[in-house]
Amino acid sequence: MQTLIMNFTRIYEDQEFCKGPDFQWIHCEEMQGTDCYLDPDTENKLRKEISAFPLHGLHFIDSGNTHYMSKLWTDRIQEPFTLLVFDHHSDMKDPLFDGILFCGNWIKASLDKNPNLKKLILLGVGDDHVSEIDSKYLPRMDILKQSECIHPDFAHLFTFDKDFFKYPIYISSDKDVLLEKIVHTNWDGGSFTLQNLFKILSKIFEKGKVLGVDICGEPSEQDEEQVLLYEAESDRVNGELVKFFSRYQPVRSIC
């Protein structure tokens, strides 16, 4: 699977998992207005940048503060699809400024503006974040709350409803869905283990058609005392993710 690195905070430059010729890079370090809220002019630049790369690949999109990139990637899909999101947060808040895309509303904006997005599946969201979701969206959603993911082997028991594989699937995963003893992100963490994450993903690749994958959840550089530890954790987990996804190949979408 082709792997792309979107380097907003420079954190990937110190990680080993992405070294080598098999990784392509988009350098976003000098772009203005990318931290949490996305400047409209920069949004246009990013859309142009990613248009040169295929959707059917693995995209590392930096921290949770740039999770809005998932909307830019999925806006390219020109066929009905399901969006599957692993995230400890709902990302369905209202922005402080009307019409501005940010990391906390990108799913809501996608549901509002992308007519090809037919189904949203949100796995691992914190129970207290479910209340952020406007009830009008619930008929288009399936939600598995954090409290339902606590059992150590819940993924083995996890079942898909009959419509789960009706459409091809785009996968977006924030590493904050994982337990903090596995990896620290720049947001609070969830209850997934890597084993449970991989079990569910394996079922999806085996039974469905996956259009593409993106990963966010890099740690913050602000805590200098912890940064080396957190970067090493993230580097290790990213390496495990690359190893897992290398076994699969997404299908080409109509873009």
Side-chain angles (χ1 to χ4, degrees):
M1 184 185 298
Q2 185 182 75
T3 305
L4 176 68
I5 306 296
M6 299 196 70
N7 194 37
F8 286 90
T9 65
R10 299 186 185 274
I11 195 166
Y12 293 121
E13 297 170 11
D14 296 323
Q15 297 190 29
E16 295 298 320
F17 86 96
C18 51
K19 298 291 193 295
D22 295 334
F23 296 85
Q24 295 180 293
W25 289 65
I26 296 179
H27 291 281
C28 313
E29 306 94 321
E30 302 301 325
M31 292 187 181
Q32 302 297 311
T34 62
D35 190 12
C36 290
Y37 281 83
L38 181 58
D39 177 84
D41 289 337
T42 302
E43 179 179 342
N44 291 331
K45 292 177 183 177
L46 286 166
R47 288 185 186 277
K48 184 177 180 180
E49 288 280 355
I50 67 173
S51 69
F53 297 90
L55 177 79
H56 60 281
L58 175 60
H59 317 121
F60 283 87
I61 59 175
D62 216 295
S63 79
N65 289 8
T66 50
H67 205 170
Y68 52 70
M69 282 306 310
S70 300
K71 181 181 185 299
L72 274 60
W73 281 107
T74 54
D75 281 350
R76 295 173 53 184
I77 301 173
Q78 299 298 312
E79 62 181 306
F81 74 99
T82 292
L83 175 61
L84 172 64
V85 182
F86 295 88
D87 202 314
H88 183 58
H89 305 88
S90 74
D91 290 356
M92 293 192 66
K93 296 181 177 180
D94 292 319
L96 292 176
F97 310 101
D98 288 341
I100 297 295
L101 183 64
F102 83 112
C103 60
N105 81 328
W106 73 268
I107 293 179
K108 182 176 182 292
S110 296
L111 287 168
D112 286 338
K113 298 179 180 180
N114 191 335
N116 290 311
L117 176 52
K118 303 300 183 182
K119 184 81 171 183
L120 170 68
I121 300 167
L122 187 56
L123 302 185
V125 62
D127 293 47
D128 53 335
H129 295 293
V130 175
S131 61
E132 299 168 351
I133 302 172
D134 191 314
S135 61
K136 72 178 183 181
Y137 297 101
L138 295 179
R140 299 170 61 189
M141 299 178 64
D142 285 338
I143 301 171
L144 190 71
K145 297 180 291 186
Q146 179 179 347
S147 60
E148 300 173 278
C149 307
I150 292 175
H151 188 282
D153 201 29
F154 87 91
H156 178 71
L157 306 172
F158 180 73
T159 57
F160 303 100
D161 67 35
K162 60 182 177 62
D163 292 328
F164 195 100
F165 299 108
K166 182 177 181 180
Y167 304 109
I169 300 166
Y170 184 90
I171 298 170
S172 179
S173 182
D174 190 328
K175 287 183 293 184
D176 70 12
V177 79
L178 296 168
L179 289 160
E180 287 188 342
K181 70 178 181 180
I182 297 173
V183 66
H184 288 80
T185 70
N186 62 332
W187 297 91
D188 54 320
S191 60
F192 265 72
T193 63
L194 273 174
Q195 291 75 17
N196 279 330
L197 178 64
F198 290 159
K199 283 179 182 178
I200 292 177
L201 287 170
S202 294
K203 293 178 183 179
I204 292 166
F205 273 97
E206 290 164 6
K207 297 182 179 182
K209 295 180 179 179
V210 176
L211 299 175
V213 182
D214 64 53
I215 305 290
C216 71
E218 296 309 309
S220 172
E221 294 272 9
Q222 295 176 357
D223 189 342
E224 294 183 3
E225 293 184 1
Q226 298 292 335
V227 68
L228 293 179
L229 170 63
Y230 292 173
E231 281 188 5
E233 290 176 347
S234 196
D235 190 11
R236 178 184 62 80
V237 170
N238 288 340
E240 291 292 324
L241 290 165
V242 169
K243 181 179 178 181
F244 171 84
F245 285 113
S246 68
R247 299 157 46 193
Y248 302 100
Q249 184 61 44
V251 299
R252 291 179 180 269
S253 174
I254 304 171
C255 296

